[in-house]
Amino acid sequence: METAGHLLEKIRQGNVYARSRKKRLRLASSALKVLTLSLSAASTIILGLQNLNLWAGLAFSLVALVTLLGAVESFFNWRSRWVLMEETQYRFQRLTDDLEYLIASTPATDLTHDRLQPIFDEYQGVWAHLSERWLQERRALPSTSESQ
């Protein structure tokens, strides 16, 4: 029973990690998207006022900022990382549910390492999948920015 409790705590810690990263990445992705859209809209409006040199210069500056933000977003790829954390959180929550059910439905004397091993293997698999996908995302980014 002690092993099951330890495993459950490790899975919950993984879920907390994925949740905190997901929130931070979602916020960064959303904020950048709103900022990009705002600057794009503002630059378009300002370009309509072309008879003022100051405004036209400001509009072109905003267009340059939008281009810069687009490049920054493609480099950091916050949205796909946010979705990756969403998937990881789902898998940890599913694993938590499975383990809690196993603990509740199995007498403590029958809760052996052999019964817990598949859940531990899945726990390790969640981390392995997250790490592999994270590395794939990071490897893909330089080629994305080189093609632009």
Side-chain angles (χ1 to χ4, degrees):
M1 189 66 166
E2 183 180 324
T3 303
H6 177 71
L7 181 55
L8 184 58
E9 182 56 31
K10 293 293 282 181
I11 294 168
R12 285 182 175 153
Q13 287 173 359
N15 198 13
V16 167
Y17 167 80
R19 180 181 296 120
S20 69
R21 296 285 298 172
K22 178 186 76 172
K23 285 180 181 178
R24 200 173 91 208
L25 294 168
R26 180 179 55 210
L27 178 63
S29 176
S30 299
L32 186 61
K33 188 58 76 176
V34 167
L35 181 60
T36 301
L37 289 172
S38 299
L39 289 175
S40 180
S43 65
T44 302
I45 291 169
I46 292 171
L47 281 173
L49 306 172
Q50 287 184 25
N51 59 348
L52 300 174
N53 287 336
L54 173 68
W55 288 109
L58 179 60
F60 285 114
S61 299
L62 291 175
V63 169
L65 281 175
V66 167
T67 302
L68 175 66
L69 289 175
V72 167
E73 201 285 328
S74 69
F75 178 76
F76 288 108
N77 204 11
W78 285 304
R79 181 172 173 75
S80 70
R81 290 167 45 194
W82 156 32
V83 171
L84 178 59
M85 289 303 145
E86 182 81 30
E87 176 189 353
T88 300
Q89 185 181 6
Y90 161 78
R91 292 181 71 193
F92 278 134
Q93 187 59 52
R94 178 69 189 262
L95 202 51
T96 299
D97 293 344
D98 291 346
L99 182 55
E100 287 175 342
Y101 177 78
L102 181 65
I103 291 169
S105 65
T106 306
T109 56
D110 294 340
L111 206 52
T112 63
H113 288 283
D114 291 339
R115 298 283 305 266
L116 296 171
Q117 190 63 46
I119 293 178
F120 179 74
D121 291 343
E122 181 63 25
Y123 167 75
Q124 292 291 78
V126 171
W127 282 114
H129 177 75
L130 174 62
S131 297
E132 185 58 36
R133 288 277 308 277
W134 187 269
L135 289 173
Q136 286 173 356
E137 292 289 331
R138 297 310 302 158
R139 286 184 196 121
L141 291 178
S143 63
T144 301
S145 62
E146 289 172 7
S147 66
Q148 291 178 342

